[in-house]
Amino acid sequence: MLNIVLFGPPGAGKGTQSERLIEKYGLVHLSTGDLFRYHLKHETELGILAKTYMDQGHLVPDEVTINMLKAAVLEQDEPKGFIFDGFPRTNPQASALDELLTELHTQITLMLGLEVEEEELKTRLKQRALNSGRSDDADPEIIANRIAVYHRETAPVKDYYASQNKYVAIDGIGSIDAITARLFAAIDSRT
Ligand code: AMP
């Protein structure tokens, strides 16, 4: 199985690039942000709980997020592999994912980190807010919060995979096609 973690701050292009990776490698795309938004839209108990955190740009608690992700992984029938987008975002999430994949006799192949500087992220998120309908993209204070949470809680996850020799930095600046080509090259050189 090919299991990729697509990593990077909000606005780095994870969603856009995930679509390209799924198409080429036939992976199952699991975005915890998308899963939460699905629950929010359908006003499930989980959605109502997640909303309070999402509205502020905070992380949903690990236990809730991990349980939701596990269920989504286990419901797949003979997947060729996964692309994890927006997960893991904390070290406990990373070790829970390792445990789950070990149970399934597989592991993370690579973490690909899209690196984009902060001013560019803010510009992209503002632009995305115009058509995403996401309230957490529209408010500069919430955006700043999400970027701060990324630095404080999520950036250390990079070291978790780097220590296993699985982290590859990808320059996230340039055309969508150029960035896709960098991602493909990183995957193809490791598999
Ligand atoms: P995203 O679409 O990945 O930017 O996620 C939107 C929001 O969903 C985040 O700001 C968090 O509130 C929540 N969220 C998504 N993924 C996670 C995760 N792995 N852990 C905790 N909260 C998450």
Side-chain angles (χ1 to χ4, degrees), residues 17-139:
Q17 295 297 340
S18 288
E19 288 173 21
R20 306 284 185 97
L21 297 180
I22 304 159
E23 210 177 292
K24 177 159 161 109
Y25 299 100
L27 305 174
V28 173
H29 179 218
L30 290 182
S31 152
T32 40
D34 285 351
L35 290 170
F36 282 131
R37 279 184 288 278
Y38 175 89
H39 281 279
L40 231 150
K41 191 169 158 208
H42 293 86
E43 298 181 334
T44 67
E45 210 175 304
L46 178 58
I48 292 160
L49 171 79
K51 184 175 169 23
T52 51
Y53 298 94
M54 293 171 80
D55 280 351
Q56 315 264 326
H58 291 146
L59 293 183
V60 179
D62 279 339
E63 199 192 336
V64 176
T65 307
I66 290 166
N67 286 338
M68 176 180 75
L69 189 277
K70 269 190 187 172
V73 167
L74 294 173
E75 85 185 12
Q76 302 301 322
D77 191 22
E78 300 193 17
K80 277 167 85 176
F82 291 97
I83 172 153
F84 298 100
D85 164 4
F87 183 94
R89 257 178 160 98
T90 64
N91 278 345
Q93 291 181 15
S95 43
L97 180 60
D98 269 356
E99 260 174 49
L100 174 66
L101 294 179
T102 303
E103 277 170 34
L104 299 175
H105 308 290
T106 183
Q107 57 174 313
I108 289 298
T109 314
L110 270 186
M111 169 184 262
L112 300 168
L114 289 169
E115 303 199 336
V116 178
E117 47 151 64
E118 197 156 319
E119 279 316 302
E120 170 71 13
L121 293 175
K122 288 182 178 161
T123 310
R124 287 190 191 178
L125 287 171
K126 247 189 244 161
Q127 186 60 35
R128 187 168 83 182
L130 300 176
N131 30 36
S132 71
R134 284 179 56 170
S135 57
D136 61 344
D137 282 345
D139 182 333

